[in-house]
Amino acid sequence: WSDEMMRDNVNVKFVPPENSAALISAINHLSRNHKERDSIGLCARETVIREGNIEAFAKRLSALCLRVTNSD
């Protein structure tokens, strides 16, 4: 997944790596905030459906190959 696809508090909830306190805090926050949790979940599902299929992957790979081969 690219950074452009994953948007904090939109379709993913980022926490710092190896920070269990931040992870616990994020889980607790989302367990208390049903609307936010449901919104992030719905957006995440839509992102996976839109970007997580073979056609979308092939487009991204093709674009990357063109960028690499056209860079002088």
Side-chain angles (χ1 to χ4, degrees):
W1 298 97
S2 72
D3 292 342
E4 296 83 30
M5 287 182 218
M6 298 188 310
R7 298 180 6 232
D8 193 25
N9 296 315
V10 175
N11 61 0
V12 67
K13 185 76 169 173
F14 286 122
V15 294
E18 300 182 30
N19 187 334
S20 57
L23 178 59
I24 290 167
S25 177
I27 291 169
N28 286 333
H29 173 80
L30 291 174
S31 72
R32 290 188 304 270
N33 294 280
H34 300 269
K35 284 185 180 182
E36 182 179 355
R37 181 190 63 223
D38 293 347
S39 175
I40 291 172
L42 179 61
C43 288
R45 185 177 194 291
E46 290 170 354
T47 300
V48 169
I49 290 169
R50 184 180 63 251
E51 304 292 343
N53 60 63
I54 192 68
E55 292 85 10
F57 174 76
K59 280 177 133 178
R60 290 191 303 274
L61 182 59
S62 177
L64 175 62
C65 290
L66 287 173
R67 279 198 317 269
V68 169
T69 58
N70 290 330
S71 63
D72 295 316

